[in-house]
Amino acid sequence: MEGGRVLTVLLLVLLLVGLAGSSPPPEPVVCAHGTSDCTVSNAYGSFPDRTVCHAANATFPRTEKELVAAVAVAVAAKRKVKVATKLSHSFPKLACPGGRDGTIISTERLNRVVSVDVAKGLMTVESGMVLRDLIEVAAEAGLALPHSPYWSGLTIGGLLATGAHGSSLKGKGGAVHEYVVGMRIVTPAPRSQGFAVVRQLCADHPDLDAAKVSLGVLGVVSQVTLALEPMFKRSVTFVTRNDSDMAEQAVVWGGLHEFGDMAWLPQQRNVIYRKDNRVAITSVGNDLNDYLALRSSSTADLISGRVMHELLLQQCLQHRAL
Ligand SMILES: Cc1cc2nc3c(=O)[nH]c(=O)nc-3n(C[C@H](O)[C@H](O)[C@H](O)COP(=O)(O)OP(=O)(O)OC[C@H]3O[C@@H](n4cnc5c(N)ncnc54)[C@H](O)[C@@H]3O)c2cc1C
Ligand SMILES: *[C@@H]1O[C@H](CO)[C@@H](O)[C@H](O)[C@H]1NC(C)=O
Ligand SMILES: *[C@@H]1O[C@H](CO)[C@@H](O)[C@H](O)[C@H]1NC(C)=O
């Protein structure tokens, strides 16, 4: 009995070691020869239509000057361009850069802080900067980005392009682009201007609202200036209730809690209400995040889940091979 169990566990472990190599997701931009013959995908390895985008070549500018040069070369040759990021976390591809004739411009190396003005609460960063790093640098200056998506593995350029948001009905709401007060964007230009120019959009520029959520089709965002707030903490508590009055509760809950949100679990007929409010930086919390999706699971459950997953995958692959 005991021996049989040990053997089963051993087999499961061997199966897992064999099948589930744990490696980070592949880089979204992969080139077969140096920076030529490239593909761009998302962090999941393929877009929802199970394809990747092809492009003739890719550039990885390190400065705004190099970015302008990259756009100019593409424009002069009438090539289509797609901006890719280091993380590529959007599911949809939106557009491919014109098959094997296009160019990928990656913001992977445009990831620096340009300036921080603590007195005015302003921070300017390059568009490839990862949200997690941005939040950390702001914190070192005693500043906070008041709203952000719930996942920090995104770039500021990528999350703005798709209008990414947190949750709030207060003030200007929970979308990050509401806190953008300046942008530098590189766009195509006539030959007389060298095929590419940097457009600087300040807070009062009429085009800033359009450029902020550009879906990546207006040019390459080089830098972003954000209006930050003095550092604060958030106090979060989850409350589970049934979903019978969910619709009426949406506005009520949003009015009660600055960062309130609701996660609906229709199969359980439940709603997880997130009580989420601003508190002073000196407040002491209990360091507990007991959100359902983040709770720990037993190793045995994880192993059996993974084994089931792999078996199903093998069956699918065999089926496809036939
Ligand atoms: C685990 C997870 C949790 C998430 N949570 C939330 C959430 O809470 N709220 C929410 O709103 N969203 C959320 N998202 C979605 C996420 O915010 C978007 O998919 C975001 O666009 C991804 O940013 P990225 O840096 O990976 O950009 P990418 O996916 O690489 O790019 C997105 C688009 O922007 C364009 N682009 C990128 N940089 C530039 C630039 N510098 N100039 C011009 N165009 C550019 C690209 O060409 C592409 O079309 C989540 C995603 C994941 C994976
Ligand atoms: C990309 O390829 C085209 C032609 O295939 C070439 O004209 C262009 O200079 C290349 N760009 C880079 C950055 O390599
Ligand atoms: C949902 O909860 C409320 C109390 O919060 C209760 O009055 C109601 O009967 C419950 N509805 C269902 C369907 O369980």
Side-chain angles (χ1 to χ4, degrees):
M1 181 71 191
E2 196 56 23
R5 242 181 96 182
V6 169
L7 189 66
T8 313
V9 171
L10 192 69
L11 280 176
L12 287 181
V13 169
L14 287 177
L15 192 65
L16 278 178
V17 169
L19 291 174
S22 65
S23 49
E27 293 281 311
V29 178
V30 178
C31 298
H33 309 285
T35 55
S36 313
D37 196 2
C38 308
T39 58
V40 58
S41 181
N42 58 16
Y44 317 97
S46 80
F47 291 110
D49 59 359
R50 302 188 178 200
T51 62
V52 295
C53 288
H54 289 272
N57 46 28
T59 48
F60 299 82
R62 291 172 183 277
T63 60
E64 188 177 83
K65 207 172 155 206
E66 287 182 15
L67 174 60
V68 172
V71 173
V73 167
V75 173
K78 295 196 164 56
R79 297 163 74 82
K80 289 188 179 162
V81 173
K82 181 180 176 74
V83 186
T85 65
K86 177 185 171 161
L87 298 162
S88 199
H89 263 125
S90 290
F91 295 89
K93 67 180 168 208
L94 298 176
C96 286
R100 294 177 194 279
D101 300 321
T103 290
I104 296 162
I105 297 183
S106 169
T107 62
E108 186 183 326
R109 294 173 194 168
L110 283 172
N111 57 5
R112 282 166 299 250
V113 176
V114 178
S115 62
V116 185
D117 183 334
V118 179
K120 291 191 181 138
L122 298 177
M123 178 154 116
T124 301
V125 299
E126 290 176 333
S127 68
M129 186 156 197
V130 176
L131 182 59
R132 189 183 307 120
D133 300 334
L134 189 158
I135 290 171
E136 261 174 32
V137 175
E140 279 163 19
L143 298 169
L145 180 65
H147 297 278
S148 73
Y150 292 0
W151 167 251
S152 58
L154 311 166
T155 66
I156 188 70
L159 71 90
L160 287 176
T162 58
H165 54 85
S167 179
S168 186
L169 295 181
K170 300 284 170 80
K172 291 193 229 166
V176 182
H177 59 257
E178 297 292 354
Y179 304 87
V180 170
V181 294
M183 260 182 156
R184 288 170 68 83
I185 180 165
V186 182
T187 64
R191 173 189 294 268
S192 58
Q193 289 172 35
F195 294 111
V197 288
V198 182
R199 291 169 196 261
Q200 167 133 22
L201 305 176
C202 298
D204 54 356
H205 197 289
D207 291 344
L208 184 62
D209 281 344
K212 286 196 287 198
V213 189
S214 69
L215 294 174
V217 298
L218 296 180
V220 190
V221 176
S222 165
Q223 295 177 8
V224 177
T225 303
L226 293 156
L228 305 179
E229 291 183 15
M231 181 68 106
F232 60 89
K233 275 190 182 178
R234 279 163 65 171
S235 168
V236 181
T237 310
F238 295 101
V239 183
T240 304
R241 291 190 195 158
N242 70 45
D243 64 4
S244 53
D245 62 344
M246 178 185 165
E248 302 92 87
Q249 280 301 321
V251 174
V252 176
W253 196 257
L256 286 174
H257 306 290
E258 182 177 3
F259 305 100
D261 87 3
M262 299 153 69
W264 187 23
L265 308 173
Q267 271 179 323
Q268 296 177 19
R269 309 239 47 181
N270 273 337
V271 181
I272 302 176
Y273 289 85
R274 180 177 166 125
K275 203 174 182 180
D276 187 338
N277 291 296
R278 180 188 297 254
V279 291
I281 191 74
T282 49
S283 307
V284 178
N286 62 358
D287 239 4
L288 172 74
N289 188 345
D290 62 350
Y291 186 55
L292 198 64
L294 299 177
R295 274 185 209 162
S296 58
S297 309
S298 75
T299 312
D301 285 351
L302 290 177
I303 290 184
S304 65
R306 285 290 281 274
V307 167
M308 183 61 79
H309 194 143
E310 295 298 343
L311 289 176
L312 286 172
L313 188 69
Q314 289 298 314
Q315 281 171 10
C316 289
L317 292 176
Q318 275 166 13
H319 186 75
R320 220 188 287 168
L322 296 173

